[in-house]
Amino acid sequence: MDKLLNLLDRNARMSNAQLAAMLGRTEQEVAEQIAALEKDGVIRAYKAVIDWDKTDREYVTAIIELHVTPKKDRGFEGIAEEIMRFREVESISLMSGGYDFSIVVNARTFRDVATFVAKRLSPLDSVVSTATHFVLRRYKENNVIFLEEDRDERGAL
Amino acid sequence: MREGRCNPMQYETLLNRTLVEMKPSGIRRFFDLAHEMEDVISLSVGEPDFSTPWHIREVGIKTLERGKTWYSPNAGFIELRSAIARYLQRRFRVSYDPKTEVLVTVGGSEAIDLCMRSLINPGDEVLVPSPSFVCYSPLAAMAGGVPVPLETKAEDHFRLTAQTLKAAITPKTKLLILPIPNNPTGAVLRRRHMEELAEVLRGTDIFVLSDEIYSELTYHDEGPTSFASIDGMQERTLLVSGFSKAYAMTGWRLGYVCGPSAVMSQIVKLHQYGIMSAPTTAQYAAIEAMDNGDDDVVAMRDDYNQRRRLIVDELNRMGLTCFDPLGAFYVFPSIQITGMTSEEFCVTLLKEKHVAVVPGTAFGDCGEGFVRISYCYSIKHIVEAMRRMREFLTERGFLKEGE
């Protein structure tokens, strides 16, 4: 099971036949396992890792540190649920350490991020303070390195 | 005699005759051809695509920082020889005395050369399974020996059989080369196969050079066996291995040879005069590899194993049939459906699809009709190469669409 997940984690586009060959199982077994993993919510989605800097897309990413006060009737989860509904929010995680939530926000421009923080995030009852950090350049994401591939320097012997 | 000097030196007649007559390696020749083309996707190298695990590199770096740049003792640091002995005991249940039975060499290659030159008297016969790695026969010849190829066959999964071995033994037989697993075929010998060969060797004075450099890259459940662990074989076995393949340390140039002390003392003497000592930095790093590298080996082996299964499956599907190669990182498929020679197949595939694989004939005449494909490449790289090979076969009518 872990081996299958590790393979999919590296490349979700391998065919069931290829996965089956690599794992020494039948195609049928792999298909069933994947179906079960999807059903149980272990596999949530399949996505491409895209280097948007290589496209014309205008976009900006910010990481926002968030301090909140959990209320009696709403714990951290309730607050997270409210925040995750915003379409700008790519991810939200509860953190240990100096602040409560780390949020990754994608928007078209810096101004859009500013507006989002000022008009939508900060006004929420439970939000105490925010600190916004803009991403300047991505080097590696989801284990994929966004630099030109190293040349294979190996020779034949 | 100024006029006499006008004739250039006739090097061909002046140099060592055995060397001049020796064929250059077929792998290198083919690689040079591939090198001249653009966009070539190669499946031809013989070394890991992993870099040496960081903690091993770090030890090398630290010793350099501390200025530990002197020669080591001739036979290698005793700490490394002890680590090697402990490793062989732990992994293969074979015991060697680090002081008198272990020598650290410049790669497995030096170890092989030393064994040949230490054992062979002029005219002694050296039994070399074919196909096998390119160095054995030339080194045997340079040592004054007569290499005798032992044919291995696809139907036996390219294993040397007891029958073939028995038939090849003459009063002049000095040494049997036993690469376990084998490069280029990926063939392995399980314990029971080794027992069969041992049965033929018992009672003879024949030595065995057991080249176990790929031993850690064995993919069957039984796990690797050392020939030295077979009953009665240690007294005649020179166990050659090293760090290159298992720990992804090819460039460090470090290997070792273990054997009976009476043989080793002679081998160490030759090493001492010819090489002095193996690289110091590499030896420090290798101690770390032996002591703390087991997990790295497992992780890399698991990774190779997945690629191995993928490539074997793809090749069999496209009609380039191959048995399940349970060792090293090579597949040795048959290209007989194309009717081409190995050389033709490789050259045409390279020219038309820019995929480089090595003709089986580079590893001996018995390699005709086969090619060596290396899978120490990323999955992405392997998948693309397989796509191109499938396209090649389809376009030439050897494979029907959708087959």
Side-chain angles (χ1 to χ4, degrees), chain A residues 86-97:
Chain A
F86 296 125
R87 81 182 148 70
E88 291 89 343
V89 174
E90 181 190 287
S91 72
I92 172 165
S93 320
L94 183 64
M95 310 298 289
S96 70

PDB file of all heavy atoms in Angstrom, chain A residues 86-97:
ATOM      1  N   PHE A  86     -12.660  30.440   1.233  1.00  0.00           N
ATOM      2  CA  PHE A  86     -12.245  31.493   0.290  1.00  0.00           C
ATOM      3  C   PHE A  86     -11.480  30.864  -0.864  1.00  0.00           C
ATOM      4  O   PHE A  86     -10.566  30.067  -0.646  1.00  0.00           O
ATOM      5  CB  PHE A  86     -11.333  32.519   0.990  1.00  0.00           C
ATOM      6  CG  PHE A  86     -12.014  33.281   2.101  1.00  0.00           C
ATOM      7  CD1 PHE A  86     -11.468  33.295   3.385  1.00  0.00           C
ATOM      8  CD2 PHE A  86     -13.178  33.995   1.861  1.00  0.00           C
ATOM      9  CE1 PHE A  86     -12.082  33.999   4.400  1.00  0.00           C
ATOM     10  CE2 PHE A  86     -13.802  34.704   2.893  1.00  0.00           C
ATOM     11  CZ  PHE A  86     -13.242  34.702   4.167  1.00  0.00           C
ATOM     12  N   ARG A  87     -11.832  31.244  -2.092  1.00  0.00           N
ATOM     13  CA  ARG A  87     -11.176  30.567  -3.210  1.00  0.00           C
ATOM     14  C   ARG A  87      -9.711  30.962  -3.330  1.00  0.00           C
ATOM     15  O   ARG A  87      -8.909  30.254  -3.923  1.00  0.00           O
ATOM     16  CB  ARG A  87     -11.960  30.808  -4.510  1.00  0.00           C
ATOM     17  CG  ARG A  87     -11.699  32.098  -5.159  1.00  0.00           C
ATOM     18  CD  ARG A  87     -12.481  32.390  -6.405  1.00  0.00           C
ATOM     19  NE  ARG A  87     -12.699  33.833  -6.463  1.00  0.00           N
ATOM     20  CZ  ARG A  87     -11.752  34.700  -6.703  1.00  0.00           C
ATOM     21  NH1 ARG A  87     -10.519  34.303  -6.935  1.00  0.00           N
ATOM     22  NH2 ARG A  87     -11.993  36.005  -6.706  1.00  0.00           N
ATOM     23  N   GLU A  88      -9.307  32.102  -2.755  1.00  0.00           N
ATOM     24  CA  GLU A  88      -7.901  32.514  -2.798  1.00  0.00           C
ATOM     25  C   GLU A  88      -7.008  31.583  -1.968  1.00  0.00           C
ATOM     26  O   GLU A  88      -5.802  31.524  -2.186  1.00  0.00           O
ATOM     27  CB  GLU A  88      -7.728  33.933  -2.235  1.00  0.00           C
ATOM     28  CG  GLU A  88      -8.321  35.043  -3.077  1.00  0.00           C
ATOM     29  CD  GLU A  88      -9.784  35.326  -2.721  1.00  0.00           C
ATOM     30  OE1 GLU A  88     -10.427  34.462  -2.065  1.00  0.00           O
ATOM     31  OE2 GLU A  88     -10.275  36.396  -3.118  1.00  0.00           O
ATOM     32  N   VAL A  89      -7.605  30.902  -1.003  1.00  0.00           N
ATOM     33  CA  VAL A  89      -6.804  30.092  -0.084  1.00  0.00           C
ATOM     34  C   VAL A  89      -6.453  28.742  -0.705  1.00  0.00           C
ATOM     35  O   VAL A  89      -7.327  27.930  -0.990  1.00  0.00           O
ATOM     36  CB  VAL A  89      -7.566  29.875   1.253  1.00  0.00           C
ATOM     37  CG1 VAL A  89      -6.801  28.904   2.158  1.00  0.00           C
ATOM     38  CG2 VAL A  89      -7.762  31.210   1.942  1.00  0.00           C
ATOM     39  N   GLU A  90      -5.158  28.555  -0.926  1.00  0.00           N
ATOM     40  CA  GLU A  90      -4.715  27.292  -1.514  1.00  0.00           C
ATOM     41  C   GLU A  90      -4.554  26.227  -0.433  1.00  0.00           C
ATOM     42  O   GLU A  90      -4.862  25.058  -0.627  1.00  0.00           O
ATOM     43  CB  GLU A  90      -3.388  27.506  -2.234  1.00  0.00           C
ATOM     44  CG  GLU A  90      -2.845  26.268  -2.912  1.00  0.00           C
ATOM     45  CD  GLU A  90      -1.425  26.450  -3.399  1.00  0.00           C
ATOM     46  OE1 GLU A  90      -1.252  27.165  -4.400  1.00  0.00           O
ATOM     47  OE2 GLU A  90      -0.505  25.906  -2.764  1.00  0.00           O
ATOM     48  N   SER A  91      -4.012  26.653   0.716  1.00  0.00           N
ATOM     49  CA  SER A  91      -3.881  25.687   1.806  1.00  0.00           C
ATOM     50  C   SER A  91      -3.944  26.409   3.137  1.00  0.00           C
ATOM     51  O   SER A  91      -3.650  27.606   3.225  1.00  0.00           O
ATOM     52  CB  SER A  91      -2.559  24.918   1.688  1.00  0.00           C
ATOM     53  OG  SER A  91      -1.483  25.749   2.025  1.00  0.00           O
ATOM     54  N   ILE A  92      -4.368  25.673   4.147  1.00  0.00           N
ATOM     55  CA  ILE A  92      -4.379  26.225   5.493  1.00  0.00           C
ATOM     56  C   ILE A  92      -3.990  25.128   6.462  1.00  0.00           C
ATOM     57  O   ILE A  92      -4.471  24.004   6.357  1.00  0.00           O
ATOM     58  CB  ILE A  92      -5.754  26.844   5.870  1.00  0.00           C
ATOM     59  CG1 ILE A  92      -5.755  27.225   7.362  1.00  0.00           C
ATOM     60  CG2 ILE A  92      -6.915  25.932   5.540  1.00  0.00           C
ATOM     61  CD1 ILE A  92      -6.894  28.151   7.755  1.00  0.00           C
ATOM     62  N   SER A  93      -3.049  25.461   7.362  1.00  0.00           N
ATOM     63  CA  SER A  93      -2.603  24.454   8.330  1.00  0.00           C
ATOM     64  C   SER A  93      -2.534  25.070   9.713  1.00  0.00           C
ATOM     65  O   SER A  93      -2.187  26.239   9.861  1.00  0.00           O
ATOM     66  CB  SER A  93      -1.195  23.965   7.975  1.00  0.00           C
ATOM     67  OG  SER A  93      -1.046  23.811   6.589  1.00  0.00           O
ATOM     68  N   LEU A  94      -2.845  24.246  10.700  1.00  0.00           N
ATOM     69  CA  LEU A  94      -2.699  24.663  12.092  1.00  0.00           C
ATOM     70  C   LEU A  94      -1.250  24.437  12.490  1.00  0.00           C
ATOM     71  O   LEU A  94      -0.685  23.377  12.190  1.00  0.00           O
ATOM     72  CB  LEU A  94      -3.644  23.832  12.969  1.00  0.00           C
ATOM     73  CG  LEU A  94      -3.675  24.187  14.463  1.00  0.00           C
ATOM     74  CD1 LEU A  94      -4.202  25.612  14.664  1.00  0.00           C
ATOM     75  CD2 LEU A  94      -4.542  23.186  15.227  1.00  0.00           C
ATOM     76  N   MET A  95      -0.644  25.437  13.138  1.00  0.00           N
ATOM     77  CA  MET A  95       0.788  25.382  13.395  1.00  0.00           C
ATOM     78  C   MET A  95       1.099  25.310  14.888  1.00  0.00           C
ATOM     79  O   MET A  95       0.352  25.831  15.709  1.00  0.00           O
ATOM     80  CB  MET A  95       1.483  26.633  12.825  1.00  0.00           C
ATOM     81  CG  MET A  95       1.147  26.946  11.386  1.00  0.00           C
ATOM     82  SD  MET A  95       1.655  25.634  10.258  1.00  0.00           S
ATOM     83  CE  MET A  95       3.429  25.839  10.319  1.00  0.00           C
ATOM     84  N   SER A  96       2.270  24.715  15.178  1.00  0.00           N
ATOM     85  CA  SER A  96       2.809  24.876  16.518  1.00  0.00           C
ATOM     86  C   SER A  96       3.693  26.119  16.475  1.00  0.00           C
ATOM     87  O   SER A  96       4.019  26.595  15.401  1.00  0.00           O
ATOM     88  CB  SER A  96       3.641  23.655  16.902  1.00  0.00           C
ATOM     89  OG  SER A  96       4.818  23.655  16.121  1.00  0.00           O
ATOM     90  N   GLY A  97       4.050  26.659  17.620  1.00  0.00           N
ATOM     91  CA  GLY A  97       4.989  27.776  17.620  1.00  0.00           C
ATOM     92  C   GLY A  97       4.319  29.125  17.711  1.00  0.00           C
ATOM     93  O   GLY A  97       3.266  29.265  18.332  1.00  0.00           O
TER      94      GLY A  97
END
